[in-house]
Amino acid sequence: MDRPTFVLTILLLLFFPSPSLHIQKGNQISIERLALLAFKKGIFDDPKGALSNWTESTDFCKWNGITCWQGRVSKLKQGRVSQLNLKGQDLKGTISPYLSNLSQILLIDLSENSLHGPIPEEFGALSLLQNFSIRQNEVQRQVPHSLGMLKRLIYIDLSSNELHGTLPTSLLYNCTALLYVDLSNNSFTGLIPPEIGNHLPQLGILNLYLNQLTGTIPATLCNSTNLMTIDLGNNLLTGTLPSETIMCLTSLLHLHLAFNDFTSEDKNTNLYPFFSALSNMTHLQSLELENNYIGGTLPKTIGLLSQNLSNMNLGANLIHGMIPLSISNLSNLSLLTLSNNYLNGTIPLKLFLLPKLQSLWLADNLLAGEIPSPPCELINLQQIDLSGNNLSGSIPANIASIKQLTDLILSKNSLSGSIPSGLGRLNLGLLDLSHNNLTGPLPKEVAAMKTIYAYFNLSDNALEGPIPMELSQMDKVQVIDLSSNKLTSEIPSALQACVEVQLVNLSHNHLQGTIPQALGKLISIQILDLSSNSLSGEVPSSLATSTSLRQLNLAFNNLSGPLPQGGVFAYLTGESLMGNNFCGSLLGLPSCNSNKGRKHSKIFLLLLVCIVSVLAFLTTILSVVCYRRIRRIVVSHRGETDLNTPAQDLSSSYPRITYRELVEATGGFDLSSLIGSGSYGHVYRGVLSDGTVVAIKVLQFQASNSTRSFNRECQVLKRIRHRNLMRIITACSLPDFKALVLPFMVNGSLESHLYPQAPGTGHPL
């Protein structure tokens, strides 16, 4: 705040006083009681009953969270409120401006509640206030300029709220007694006030992390020589590392500049000046520079840093080169993070031998060679992360001698050989050996580690053999990932004992058999992946009744039959089921009945094809035989086809005359009716029942060729038309009797009609 604005604020407070002055003047104690009741009125939710005894009938000095001045103090202070401490009561509401009537108060702590709204402007009247904290609420808007009037303010904590705007310059420039300033985890923007160090000579703690501040670190901080903690992490600060500024801060214990955009000197290639400046801080305990753009190699002078240094985090930068052996001089180092850089070379064994080292994070670098094998028992090392490097060789068996080890992460390297069974003697909370070239079986001792509570990941290796039954002893593990190996045999039903497991991934192995019903009884399971195996049989119904299962992948197995309904199966995708032989009503699968019909249809079709093929073959053979026989007959009887036509064919288009009628017409073939004889039979004159006179030629049946002759005569007389030939009336044919019926010529003999003579000559015409 500039000087004119500051003066105007003071005048407003003098001539237009706070709401307390609207109350009739009287006893100051009554005013403070009313101010506190006004605060209570602004609270709409008090789940812990913190304000339950704030009543008119009770002395307010005995109210919860209220402390009053007592003892040998001035009469002005006697019985007045000195502290309002309602920290962590989960109160919901607003901060009443009437609290500004607590004119003798020293401390207001409303942290860890759910208060919202602004910081009252009237608080600038609390001239004796030394400690003000509203940390971890939902307070909004900007910090009022009036707080710059709190000349005695020593401690202010406005962190973890929803404040915005620029940093309150009036507060940071006028409250010169401040020792502790925490404005972190808000939405402040703009620059850090450049003159801050000139106005806060006593400042010891400056926390501005988790904001959106820009610009550089003010050089004036060099004047705040009592600074012990500077935390500017998680902002948008730029520029080179402040080597000259921090060189003045010899009392600094904690320097946190992580998650910004700082670089090193000489166009981001030289880290020597910065680490030389750090060596002047003989009390430095923690250094956090992770996630910047710092480049260069680690200088050997890194070993000259404070012997009190316990935490050094340089991860996620552009640091390259080898890890200097001089780091091993930092005998009190407990946490070393160099992950996500471009470090190369090998891992110095001396890092493992640091006497107080608890966590070693070297992941995602270019480190090569073998993992150092500790020559002796290490009693403090708890966490090792060497993942994402180019490490080779086997996993040292001596790692099992690191008795306190809880986290072992060696994934994404080129490690080979088998998994040391000695790891099973450790009390690991998580084990990640994934994405290596490990072979052999999964040791039963490793599978039986009951202490693993986070994740057990051996995926993307070449492990063989069955899944050990001992894996069921991991009753605290949350993630089991054995995918992309060469595991065989069946899935053990004993996995049901892993009651805390949320993810099980056994995909891309050679597992066989059926899916155990027990997998659906895992009470915490959320994700189950069994894809790309050789599992068979039907899917157990227990997977549908699981209330926790959210994702299921069964693709590319030999599973069949209907899918269970309900539960996770209600929203499965086609990708999670493909490559099987399922049926049912889900996801457009074929119905199970149609599958049976299709199966039967296929069998029937196969049988039909076989039968038709056999019949076609037999028909072909029979046709050939018949063809040859018919051809032989045709050749031998060519020209005689008409002679063999049966006489009864004539009856189909001629009058039918029975044998009885012929007998009656000829008087029983009496000799008196005989009109002619020949070698093949006799001709009789007959009179039919209708009076028609006919000539009846009766075949002499004894002759061997009489039937053929009779048939030939029938055919000739039937087909030929001529004026000299008689028209055939009909024929009569029995097994032992055959006859032709012809018209009878009454006026002369048959011969006279066939061959008539010229009149008076006796010669034929």
Side-chain angles (χ1 to χ4, degrees):
M1 180 188 296
D2 55 15
R3 185 175 183 83
T5 304
F6 182 69
V7 172
L8 179 60
T9 302
I10 295 177
L11 292 175
L12 288 172
L13 290 172
L14 290 175
F15 293 99
F16 299 91
S18 67
S20 63
L21 300 183
H22 291 284
I23 304 173
Q24 292 184 350
K25 291 184 178 181
N27 192 303
Q28 291 296 321
I29 293 178
S30 297
I31 293 175
E32 293 193 350
R33 176 191 293 272
L34 292 175
L36 292 172
L37 291 175
F39 170 77
K40 179 182 178 181
K41 188 176 181 180
I43 302 300
F44 62 83
D45 190 13
D46 179 14
K48 295 183 178 180
L51 308 181
S52 59
N53 67 342
W54 285 34
T55 62
E56 292 282 356
S57 59
T58 307
D59 181 3
F60 72 83
C61 287
K62 296 181 180 179
W63 290 354
N64 294 331
I66 301 298
T67 302
C68 294
W69 288 97
Q70 303 292 339
R72 301 177 64 180
V73 294
S74 65
K75 292 182 179 181
L76 181 63
K77 294 181 178 180
Q78 193 70 37
R80 306 281 292 280
V81 176
S82 63
Q83 294 185 16
L84 171 61
N85 188 347
L86 293 172
K87 175 182 177 181
Q89 298 300 319
D90 297 331
L91 300 173
K92 294 182 180 179
T94 58
I95 303 174
S96 173
Y98 287 95
L99 290 180
S100 61
N101 288 303
L102 306 177
S103 58
Q104 301 301 309
I105 197 166
L106 301 178
L107 179 147
I108 296 177
D109 191 348
L110 301 175
S111 60
E112 299 177 23
N113 286 288
S114 297
L115 302 174
H116 62 277
I119 301 172
E121 184 83 25
E122 292 80 2
F123 276 22
L126 300 174
S127 58
L128 299 182
L129 190 64
Q130 297 178 3
N131 189 315
F132 179 46
S133 177
I134 56 170
R135 175 177 60 86
Q136 201 170 326
N137 277 280
E138 299 169 9
V139 178
Q140 300 134 342
R141 304 185 189 177
Q142 298 186 12
V143 178
H145 294 294
S146 61
L147 293 190
M149 299 173 61
L150 305 178
K151 296 291 186 178
R152 299 191 182 185
L153 195 63
I154 296 173
Y155 182 103
I156 185 166
D157 189 349
L158 309 180
S159 64
S160 300
N161 278 283
E162 299 175 11
L163 299 168
H164 61 270
T166 58
L167 292 175
T169 307
S170 63
L171 175 72
L172 300 176
Y173 280 6
N174 299 317
C175 301
T176 56
L178 279 170
L179 300 176
Y180 185 101
V181 175
D182 194 343
L183 306 178
S184 62
N185 197 16
N186 281 285
S187 299
F188 291 116
T189 58
L191 304 175
I192 301 173
E195 300 298 323
I196 183 173
N198 295 333
H199 296 275
L200 300 177
Q202 306 301 319
L203 188 62
I205 307 293
L206 179 62
N207 289 333
L208 301 177
Y209 62 90
L210 278 170
N211 280 288
Q212 301 171 32
L213 302 174
T214 56
T216 59
I217 298 175
T220 58
L221 283 178
C222 191
N223 297 321
S224 299
T225 55
N226 292 326
L227 270 171
M228 294 183 293
T229 297
I230 298 177
D231 194 339
L232 307 178
N234 294 88
N235 279 285
L236 303 172
L237 300 173
T238 57
T240 58
L241 293 170
S243 303
E244 295 183 1
T245 301
I246 63 174
M247 190 175 293
C248 309
L249 305 177
T250 56
S251 299
L252 205 60
L253 301 177
H254 309 284
L255 178 60
H256 298 168
L257 304 177
F259 291 92
N260 281 285
D261 297 327
F262 291 114
T263 59
S264 60
E265 297 188 29
D266 296 331
K267 298 181 179 180
N268 204 27
T269 61
N270 190 0
L271 284 171
Y272 178 82
F274 180 72
F275 280 96
S276 294
L278 288 176
S279 63
N280 292 327
M281 301 176 186
T282 56
H283 304 288
L284 188 65
Q285 296 178 8
S286 64
L287 174 64
E288 294 187 0
L289 299 175
E290 68 172 319
N291 229 301
N292 279 278
Y293 290 98
I294 300 169
T297 60
L298 294 176
K300 295 180 180 180
T301 54
I302 196 172
L304 300 177
L305 298 182
S306 168
Q307 289 298 304
N308 295 316
L309 187 63
S310 62
N311 175 12
M312 183 164 64
N313 189 341
L314 307 178
N317 280 288
L318 304 176
I319 301 172
H320 59 274
M322 300 180 67
I323 301 173
L325 293 176
S326 59
I327 288 184
S328 60
N329 296 333
L330 306 176
S331 57
N332 285 306
L333 203 60
S334 62
L335 171 63
L336 175 60
T337 302
L338 299 175
S339 299
N340 293 98
N341 278 286
Y342 295 91
L343 297 170
N344 53 34
T346 59
I347 302 174
L349 175 60
K350 290 185 177 181
L351 289 184
F352 283 82
L353 301 180
L354 285 168
K356 295 186 178 180
L357 189 65
Q358 297 180 9
S359 301
L360 177 62
W361 307 104
L362 301 177
D364 296 302
N365 279 285
L366 303 174
L367 299 169
E370 297 186 354
I371 299 173
S373 180
C376 57
E377 182 177 325
L378 304 178
I379 60 175
N380 291 313
L381 193 56
Q382 299 175 13
Q383 299 172 313
I384 298 177
D385 187 353
L386 308 180
S387 61
N389 282 285
N390 297 321
L391 301 174
S392 58
S394 59
I395 300 173
N398 281 357
I399 286 184
S401 66
I402 308 177
K403 298 299 183 181
Q404 302 301 318
L405 194 63
T406 60
D407 301 350
L408 180 59
I409 307 173
L410 305 177
S411 59
K412 298 179 182 178
N413 280 287
S414 299
L415 300 174
S416 58
S418 59
I419 300 174
S421 60
L423 295 181
R425 299 194 298 269
L426 300 174
N427 296 319
L428 292 177
L430 64 87
L431 175 64
D432 191 348
L433 306 179
S434 62
H435 295 274
N436 279 287
N437 300 317
L438 300 174
T439 56
L442 170 56
K444 296 180 179 180
E445 297 84 353
V446 175
M449 288 190 288
K450 293 177 61 66
T451 56
I452 291 187
Y453 63 89
Y455 56 87
F456 181 68
N457 191 351
L458 306 181
S459 63
D460 288 275
N461 280 287
L463 300 177
E464 302 171 343
I467 299 174
M469 297 288 292
E470 287 77 6
L471 193 63
S472 61
Q473 298 184 33
M474 293 189 183
D475 55 358
K476 303 179 184 66
V477 67
Q478 297 184 35
V479 175
I480 296 176
D481 193 345
L482 303 178
S483 62
S484 298
N485 279 285
K486 299 178 180 179
L487 299 174
T488 56
S489 192
E490 298 182 352
I491 301 173
S493 298
L495 287 180
Q496 180 181 349
C498 301
V499 293
E500 297 293 331
V501 70
Q502 299 178 20
L503 183 151
V504 175
N505 190 348
L506 305 178
S507 65
H508 294 89
N509 279 286
H510 304 308
L511 300 174
Q512 301 173 348
T514 59
I515 300 174
Q517 285 277 357
L519 291 186
K521 299 178 182 179
L522 291 168
I523 61 176
S524 302
I525 189 69
Q526 296 183 21
I527 301 174
L528 177 61
D529 193 342
L530 304 177
S531 61
S532 298
N533 279 286
S534 299
L535 301 172
S536 58
E538 295 188 358
V539 178
S541 58
S542 61
L543 295 179
T545 58
S546 172
T547 58
S548 59
L549 190 59
R550 296 291 178 268
Q551 294 182 33
L552 175 65
N553 193 347
L554 303 175
F556 301 107
N557 279 283
N558 297 320
L559 300 168
S560 60
L563 286 173
Q565 296 189 8
V568 69
F569 293 94
Y571 42 84
L572 283 184
T573 62
E575 289 80 2
S576 61
L577 298 175
M578 65 173 56
N580 288 285
N581 298 306
F582 292 127
C583 63
S585 59
L586 298 177
L587 301 169
L589 294 174
S591 67
C592 298
N593 291 332
S594 67
N595 273 354
K596 293 179 181 178
R598 187 178 296 112
K599 183 178 180 181
H600 293 161
S601 297
K602 289 181 178 178
I603 295 174
F604 175 77
L605 182 61
L606 182 61
L607 291 175
L608 181 61
V609 169
C610 292
I611 292 172
V612 170
S613 299
V614 172
L615 289 177
F617 176 75
L618 294 176
T619 301
T620 302
I621 298 299
L622 184 60
S623 298
V624 171
V625 173
C626 291
Y627 171 75
R628 290 180 177 178
R629 178 167 294 182
I630 291 171
R631 188 167 179 231
R632 189 180 300 115
I633 293 172
V634 169
V635 170
S636 62
H637 298 285
R638 180 173 298 170
E640 299 183 6
T641 302
D642 289 342
L643 301 179
N644 293 326
T645 302
Q648 54 263 37
D649 289 349
L650 299 171
S651 64
S652 62
S653 58
Y654 290 84
R656 295 178 63 84
I657 298 176
T658 65
Y659 173 76
R660 184 183 184 85
E661 289 177 311
L662 295 179
V663 171
E664 291 177 352
T666 60
F669 298 104
D670 189 83
L671 292 176
S672 61
S673 299
L674 182 66
I675 60 174
S677 297
S679 59
Y680 295 112
H682 306 284
V683 179
Y684 294 90
R685 177 182 182 279
V687 180
L688 300 177
S689 60
D690 60 355
T692 303
V693 180
V694 295
I696 302 170
K697 182 176 182 179
V698 179
L699 177 68
Q700 187 174 337
F701 198 68
Q702 293 86 342
S704 60
N705 60 348
S706 58
T707 299
R708 182 180 302 173
S709 176
F710 176 76
N711 288 339
R712 181 168 55 243
E713 189 170 353
C714 286
Q715 292 295 330
V716 171
L717 293 175
K718 180 182 71 172
R719 296 177 182 178
I720 298 176
R721 295 291 183 266
H722 192 273
R723 65 184 180 89
N724 294 328
L725 295 177
M726 296 297 99
R727 177 179 60 87
I728 189 171
I729 295 176
T730 188
C732 179
S733 177
L734 294 174
D736 56 352
F737 176 83
K738 297 182 185 298
L740 285 175
V741 181
L742 303 169
F744 185 81
M745 300 302 167
V746 180
N747 298 321
S749 66
L750 179 62
E751 182 181 1
S752 65
H753 283 275
L754 289 175
Y755 306 105
Q757 297 177 354
T761 64
H763 299 284
L765 291 174

